[in-house]
Amino acid sequence: MASERAGTKEGRCAEGPSDGFRYWSWEPTIAGLCAGPRGACVRACVCVRARAQPRGTDRLPTFSPPPRAVYAAAESSLRWEPRCRQQLRHLQDGARIAARLPPRLEGQWVSTGCEVRPGPEFLTRSYLFYANRLFKAFQFYYWDPSCREPSYSLVIKGKLRLRQASWITRGATEADYHLHKVGIVFHSQKAMREVASRINQSSGEGCRGFLPPGRAWAPGALYELLSAKTERDCTAALGFAMHELSLVRVERHHQPLPGLQQSGSSLVEELYLGDIHTDWLERLHYRPTGYQRPLQSAVHHVHPCPACRAIYRADEHHPPILPARAELPVQLSGSWVSTRCEVRPAVLFLTRYFIFHGSNHTWQGYYYHYSDPLCKQPTFTIYASGRYTQGVPSSKVRGGMELAFKVTQARVTPMDQVTVMMLNSSEPGSCGLASSWSTGVEQDITPTNGCLALGIRLPHTEYELFRTEHDPKERSLLYIGERPTDGSSPDRPDKRPTSYQAPLVQCAGASEEFPNYYSLKYVGKEGANGSQELKPFLVALLLLVALQLLRWD
């Protein structure tokens, strides 16, 4: 879809006149860090006016509480907010994550589940790094998105040398690698026939006779695809490259253990390797600037992890068969938030927060962009909204659902001076009001049909791929299609993703979602900014709740 502070504060509202009254603006923001009893939160900016207190008095004015029934209704609609807020707070708590430079790689690292690469390719990985810089890596490929039907396995041997901290991707380390051998083991006659056909048709002269047509499958036989000694390389037909090893990052954090005191936790280590280009033709020579789904230490991994043990014990002759899981229908309704600080190619760090309204097929998305890999230094925030179509099962990516999303409105909030300067230097009429941007102030970019400087075009349609599943903790996860590596938009059906971004976790169900994001700065009859007039009852409700939050007991 589109690219990607709460509480009560005293002071004069943006439009507050000098009329002898004091003003308090209550401005809960996207993160939902709300004040008030039981964490109630309303997505609005409410400016409250009251007669000034005598000089020297710091107490807030007293307001009559709203009727109990009205407050109960508001609280019922908003009771999900603390869970989403807690997840967003967790993402912003970068002090819990440690990243050592240069990273320490020695040991075995494994996938935590079935991975989906562009193509699509379904695989699991197990990489073993030795203290003498040698490595041995297993890549297990499957026919299905649950990684239960093995196709073939690759065993890769080589040497890795860490270099310096990356000048491009902040927090990463660049590395050089050299492959010594790559072997393949087929797990069925069908897999052997398909791979042999691809190699014989598309590889160089030295690979044309890799496997004679009609050759019988020999279970457990290892065939050599690449050898540094003989200078033979037949891996190109498989789209194989290990460029992921050229960008490395290791993160460490502690996972709280259930049932113990707050101090009880277990160490989790994650290995981030370079991303795979979404265009098959580009992946052989692409040098990554983002990451793919992380591997975890075979010793220090999340608990529970049913897939970890199976992958840890596997080898090229015995590929892991992951535990069976039920295929879930894609139920988008509710609220979904990032599980970690995400990294995109071209050095984009961000977190995401989505609200889907299944009743009318509308959606809202918040994209928080940062300049650092811990998502602690914000640069700008994008709010986007629109409609989406009814999904249909994907004919190309098993387990996926195809949808079309139309983006009709967007707003941008610059969060640092660099972004403000960039936006104020934009061509007049290309990104909001010319030369009017300031830090922390949101501006509607719908009237200018988007923002050229940020690559946002309105309105536009994107062709998406979705999937939902449960993690071992029975949390609902939402996978949204991976963005094109070249930074373009999937604005045509043939550009629809065939792989996924990092998952979002559901923090509120359909019955708990708040129907819309409202800001009273946009209240009024439909005008140039496309805003709709709020119903009087809703305005009254928001004001009553705000007054209650400001009430002095």
Side-chain angles (χ1 to χ4, degrees), residues 135-329:
F135 70 86
K136 182 178 182 180
F138 296 106
Q139 294 183 353
F140 308 102
Y141 291 82
Y142 303 81
W143 299 107
D144 67 304
S146 297
C147 290
R148 292 184 53 82
E149 304 171 18
S151 172
Y152 63 88
S153 298
L154 298 180
V155 55
I156 306 131
K157 297 180 180 180
K159 192 169 187 176
L160 180 71
R161 181 177 67 89
L162 298 178
R163 295 171 55 202
Q164 72 277 343
S166 174
W167 287 83
I168 300 175
T169 305
R170 186 175 172 184
T173 297
E174 295 177 352
D176 291 328
Y177 72 93
H178 179 69
L179 297 182
H180 299 161
K181 286 185 178 182
V182 177
I184 186 170
V185 175
F186 301 105
H187 303 302
S188 69
Q189 180 71 48
K190 176 184 176 183
M192 181 177 181
R193 182 173 59 251
E194 289 194 3
V195 172
S197 175
R198 288 160 60 182
I199 293 177
N200 292 337
Q201 291 179 8
S202 59
S203 297
E205 291 294 334
C207 301
R208 293 283 171 84
F210 172 72
L211 282 175
R215 182 167 182 173
W217 168 52
L222 177 67
Y223 301 92
E224 191 175 78
L225 286 174
L226 179 148
S227 172
K229 284 187 177 181
T230 63
E231 298 184 351
R232 183 188 191 191
D233 185 357
C234 303
T235 60
L238 299 179
F240 171 83
M242 287 298 287
H243 299 327
E244 60 188 280
L245 295 177
S246 62
L247 196 69
V248 181
R249 176 179 171 87
V250 174
E251 289 187 355
R252 306 178 70 194
H253 66 273
H254 285 82
Q255 174 194 20
L257 295 178
L260 297 179
Q261 299 296 327
Q262 189 173 1
S263 58
S265 62
S266 63
L267 176 64
V268 176
E269 293 184 309
E270 295 184 310
L271 172 60
Y272 289 84
L273 297 175
D275 62 302
I276 309 299
H277 203 288
T278 53
D279 186 339
W280 183 277
L281 299 177
E282 300 290 336
R283 63 195 300 180
L284 293 182
H285 57 265
Y286 169 67
R287 288 299 183 268
T289 56
Y291 304 120
Q292 56 186 303
R293 179 171 172 171
L295 303 175
Q296 292 194 0
S297 167
V299 178
H300 303 295
H301 58 76
V302 295
H303 295 278
C305 182
C308 295
R309 178 179 294 271
I311 300 172
Y312 169 74
R313 295 174 177 268
D315 60 31
E316 67 270 33
H317 302 291
H318 306 90
I321 308 298
L322 300 195
R325 68 185 185 200
E327 287 196 14
L328 301 178

Side-chain angles (χ1 to χ4, degrees), residues 278 396 402 463-464 484 489-498:
T278 53
K396 191 170 185 179
E402 296 181 352
Y463 296 87
E464 278 290 359
S489 172
D491 53 5
R492 302 193 311 267
D494 62 302
K495 295 183 67 176
R496 190 187 302 273
T498 56

